Amino acid sequence: MTDDDARGSRRGFLSTLGATAATGGLAALAGCATLSDGSRSEQVTFHASELPAVDDHPVVALGATYPITIPGSHRRDAQTRANDALEDIPTPLGNRRVPNGHVREHLTDAVTEARDDLDDALRAPTARETLQSLRSARARARYASVGWAAIEDDLTVAALDDEATDVTDRAADARDAMAYVGTDPAPAVVVHASRERLLDAAASVSEDVSHDDVRVLHVAEFGEHVERARASLADATTVGERFRDAQPDDAGSLRPTIETARDRLREELESALADLPDEDAASTVTGADIADTRTERLLYEFHYEATGGDPASSRYGPASGVLDAVRQLAAIRAYRAVRERVASGTRYEVTDAAAVRDAYATAHEALRAAPRRSDAPGLARVALQYAAGHVRFADERLAELSGEVDARDVDGAYEQYVVQGGIAAATPVAVGTALDALDAN
Amino acid sequence: MSPSRRALLSAATAATTSVALAGCSGTGSSESDVESSPEAVDGGLGDPPPYAYLRVDTDLAAVWRSRDDQSRREARRHPRPLVVDSQSRADDLAYADVDGADAVREFVADTDFDAETVYVDQREVQSCYRLELCGASWTSTDIDLEYSRVGLAYDVPCEADVEVIEARFLRLPDALSHEDVTSMGSSTGTGGCPDDHAPVAGSERPGHDGGTTTEVESA
């Protein structure tokens, strides 16, 4: 799964949360299990109609972009590929064709989701998000068509092995040959970080499936993995070619520049992290009596965002490392800022619905403003995808509420608005730091 | 097994559980008349003993104790394993009126309770799945089963998000006492057992994977 796939789409974001939960990270995301639930905070209720007006498909007005035009033929090829797969399936799949209701439900859901993804692709605000939706459409459509072929033609996982090997071999070759061509480092980081992740997604086809005990669904899921790899490779190739075409003929490789910047940012992060409180003191602020309050939880979450992961050490490559560094620099700056505010007397409590509305508005405005306040808006947009995904998820949780609402029901959303909004507000400065590192070569 | 074996087993349990445990570990219990479950292989449990199988497609239990206060519906809501250690307890069982029930009743009735015990394990399963019994182990006080869940073939009719009841009747080659067995547990993996241990009587098992249905004795 690529960065966009994980952080841009709703399904992708939910999958990311699932994966995080699997590695034990969700507890930290949601606040440490050993921390309180804000039990000292006063119990507050209000009506859902007083909450921010988010609909079922809230849009965070922020979309990652590429500094290039994606040819229409590439998008049409992806749409055709997904539609062709869908046409292989005799829908609707009734209980005569597929008597097993569990299998039928999975295949039918995949068809529905592929169609939704195709619709999303048409509505996507940026070409980059269109490609992301089309990758998902291709993968879900292939799941259904391969599942149907496993029923009709006894298609097996082994029969897909050659295709999988072909894709992964070509992706590995492309990754080894990545030239990091470019003249302007900021757009080059945006493009090449995306290519790093797309090629990583294409270079291996996971044999891990959730339905290892249902043959048809096992084959379907493997087919989905193969198709996602194919789609990722196709996008990486097209994006790389278009970006190269947009460069002057004498454009060389920026790899040394990007690697040096990544290393400088790592040093800067390590220095900044050394000055932060450790985990035990994450939510302790001298003179602030915040034990067992939401404010305490928030500080802990800010600390988690600021200290998680190895600084600027993305396994995908140096360009992704620079992007990760921007995110982490922003998180550290946001954490410091909120600690200062707490020390000055600010408390983060859901005292009424207005507190949620304010946090919602502040987060959305910070996400909207961060790119235009940055010296490299494209870099800021990509760096903000993680924060935007969290805010979108919080919007969806609020949209599900109705009637009388206990403040505890909006804790998660409120916290994400404050935390991710704070990180968004700090992103322009973090982008500036990254640009300095890129220009210092 | 002579009547003294059950007495010996009870005595061994009361006096020193470790003797019984040692015997059941398969490492030898020549001084004891306690038989053991098959030795564990690769960290798992031993092969299960012969067992009968009932699958019931309703919201009621497959088997229940007819003299219990709890109704059949309650038995479904709170399925609990049963240790059938005597003919009278066997006679106490009631069975769902489904294909295979007569064969199961006969399997239980044919048990030599002087030397054998029937262990009844009943549990809910999603209707598009079935459990396979991979292994079993037992001592005079503990019984453990190991299952693996497998999906039914695409051509087996079933509804998603509906549950059915599966019951297994294991004929353990030891005379246990229901009063002494205090720990009854199980674990469930996925993907099927390393070796198939088909039931010897009862309901047909719904087909797994390739769409075939495994036939079992239904006489």
Side-chain angles (χ1 to χ4, degrees):
Chain A
M1 181 170 285
T2 70
D3 195 35
D4 288 348
D5 294 336
R7 289 169 183 165
S9 74
R10 174 176 173 276
R11 249 193 307 283
F13 189 69
L14 293 174
S15 297
T16 304
L17 285 185
T20 309
T23 57
L26 192 59
L29 262 180
C32 181
T34 58
L35 283 180
S36 77
D37 59 355
S39 55
R40 254 181 67 189
S41 304
E42 189 179 346
Q43 185 172 6
V44 174
T45 61
F46 37 78
H47 198 271
S49 60
E50 298 178 71
L51 291 170
V54 294
D55 60 21
D56 289 338
H57 298 283
V59 175
V60 173
L62 182 79
T65 57
Y66 287 127
I68 47 173
T69 303
I70 301 299
S73 59
H74 181 73
R75 294 199 299 269
R76 284 192 294 277
D77 286 350
Q79 286 168 324
T80 301
R81 175 104 185 149
N83 280 316
D84 285 352
L86 290 173
E87 285 178 12
D88 290 341
I89 307 149
T91 50
L93 287 172
N95 57 10
R96 193 169 53 82
R97 283 198 172 94
V98 187
N100 184 314
H102 181 67
V103 172
R104 188 171 64 246
E105 184 176 82
H106 274 75
L107 298 184
T108 302
D109 286 351
V111 169
T112 302
E113 289 169 10
R115 288 175 177 154
D116 288 348
D117 287 331
L118 285 169
D119 289 343
D120 288 348
L122 295 175
R123 291 196 303 263
T126 69
R128 182 168 174 156
E129 293 187 349
T130 296
L131 294 189
Q132 170 198 329
S133 292
L134 289 174
R135 285 196 297 274
S136 183
R138 286 180 58 170
R140 297 306 286 149
R142 189 82 189 276
Y143 177 100
S145 70
V146 164
W148 177 244
I151 290 172
E152 274 290 274
D153 307 321
D154 288 329
L155 184 72
T156 63
V157 165
L160 296 168
D161 273 346
D162 285 350
E163 182 185 350
T165 302
D166 174 61
V167 174
T168 54
D169 284 353
R170 286 191 291 129
D173 289 346
R175 189 170 57 181
D176 292 344
M178 265 192 73
Y180 294 87
V181 68
T183 52
D184 185 348
V189 164
V190 170
V191 166
H192 296 309
S194 174
R195 294 180 65 223
E196 285 171 353
R197 286 175 181 264
L198 287 166
L199 290 175
D200 183 81
S204 64
V205 173
S206 172
E207 295 187 6
D208 291 339
V209 294
S210 56
H211 276 97
D212 61 348
D213 53 355
V214 183
R215 183 185 65 89
V216 168
L217 300 183
H218 183 170
V219 182
E221 204 167 334
F222 187 69
E224 176 175 12
H225 292 172
V226 172
E227 188 66 17
R228 193 174 291 279
R230 283 182 66 140
S232 298
L233 176 59
D235 286 354
T237 303
T238 295
V239 169
E241 288 172 353
R242 294 294 293 187
F243 189 66
R244 173 178 282 282
D245 290 347
Q247 304 305 307
D249 289 345
D250 60 348
S253 171
L254 287 175
R255 181 167 193 138
T257 301
I258 295 170
E259 285 180 339
T260 302
R262 187 262 321 268
D263 294 344
R264 287 177 190 274
L265 291 168
R266 178 186 297 151
E267 287 173 14
E268 191 148 342
L269 281 166
E270 286 171 347
S271 172
L273 287 168
D275 291 338
L276 292 186
D278 63 18
E279 185 175 346
D280 290 340
S283 55
T284 303
V285 175
T286 305
D289 178 17
I290 55 172
D292 296 333
T293 66
R294 288 185 183 86
T295 302
E296 181 188 42
R297 282 176 54 116
L298 269 168
L299 280 171
Y300 192 87
E301 294 210 15
F302 268 110
H303 185 270
Y304 172 79
E305 294 283 354
T307 58
D310 294 332
S313 298
S314 171
R315 68 182 177 88
Y316 301 108
S320 298
V322 170
L323 277 182
D324 286 355
V326 173
R327 293 188 190 107
Q328 193 163 7
L329 284 168
I332 290 171
R333 186 176 176 84
Y335 176 54
R336 284 181 180 146
V338 80
R339 283 183 66 86
E340 287 173 10
R341 285 198 287 272
V342 170
S344 301
T346 300
R347 295 293 178 266
Y348 296 90
E349 297 295 320
V350 183
T351 50
D352 51 24
V356 184
R357 291 199 300 272
D358 288 347
Y360 169 90
T362 301
H364 279 254
E365 176 54 28
L367 285 168
R368 273 192 296 270
R372 68 172 180 267
R373 289 179 181 163
S374 296
D375 291 333
L379 192 58
R381 284 175 176 270
V382 178
L384 285 165
Q385 289 308 289
Y386 186 71
H390 273 287
V391 168
R392 191 190 324 234
F393 188 66
D395 288 352
E396 290 173 3
R397 298 287 75 78
L398 285 195
E400 291 170 355
L401 298 173
S402 62
E404 195 72 6
V405 173
D406 190 301
R408 286 172 297 190
D409 296 336
V410 300
D411 266 351
Y414 173 78
E415 288 166 11
Q416 289 307 320
Y417 291 144
V418 175
V419 173
Q420 304 305 335
I423 291 172
T427 293
V429 172
V431 168
T433 304
L435 291 177
D436 289 345
L438 287 163
D439 287 342
N441 291 281
Chain B
M1 186 179 190
S2 67
S4 64
R5 296 185 71 181
R6 187 181 305 281
L8 267 174
L9 186 53
S10 296
T13 304
T16 165
T17 304
S18 62
V19 171
L21 285 170
C24 290
S25 71
T27 54
S29 57
S30 57
E31 298 305 313
S32 165
D33 203 9
V34 179
E35 298 241 334
S36 67
S37 62
E39 194 166 2
V41 178
D42 292 333
L45 307 181
D47 287 347
Y51 71 95
Y53 168 73
L54 269 188
R55 181 173 166 112
V56 181
D57 237 352
T58 72
D59 58 354
L60 299 172
V63 58
W64 65 102
R65 294 183 61 197
S66 55
R67 290 177 195 166
D68 266 357
D69 290 338
Q70 67 174 355
S71 67
R72 182 185 176 193
R73 192 172 299 279
E74 286 169 337
R76 163 72 189 248
R77 276 202 294 268
H78 306 288
R80 282 180 298 205
L82 299 171
V83 176
V84 183
D85 57 3
S86 66
Q87 192 60 52
S88 65
R89 285 178 72 83
D91 293 342
D92 195 30
L93 294 181
Y95 300 85
D97 184 16
V98 293
D99 285 349
D102 289 345
V104 172
R105 184 182 287 108
E106 194 174 323
F107 176 85
V108 173
D110 285 348
T111 302
D112 174 6
F113 289 104
D114 286 338
E116 299 169 328
T117 306
V118 172
Y119 179 61
V120 183
D121 191 45
Q122 178 169 229
R123 56 190 55 237
E124 285 187 327
V125 185
Q126 291 179 42
S127 74
C128 292
Y129 288 85
R130 77 173 197 225
L131 294 178
E132 291 190 346
L133 183 59
C134 303
S137 74
W138 61 93
T139 68
S140 55
T141 57
D142 301 350
I143 300 176
D144 282 311
L145 304 183
E146 185 177 344
Y147 289 106
S148 184
R149 194 185 74 157
V150 297
L152 303 188
Y154 77 90
D155 56 356
V156 174
C158 61
E159 289 303 316
D161 305 322
V162 169
E163 295 193 316
V164 300
I165 280 276
E166 288 189 341
R168 285 167 182 77
F169 303 75
L170 285 72
R171 185 185 285 158
L172 308 179
D174 273 314
L176 308 184
S177 163
H178 73 273
E179 292 176 345
D180 294 337
V181 178
T182 53
S183 172
M184 295 168 280
S186 66
S187 61
T188 304
T190 60
C193 304
D195 298 307
D196 185 31
H197 304 285
V200 298
S203 307
E204 281 188 351
R205 285 193 300 176
H208 160 55
D209 213 17
T212 55
T213 301
T214 306
E215 300 289 340
V216 298
E217 174 189 343
S218 56

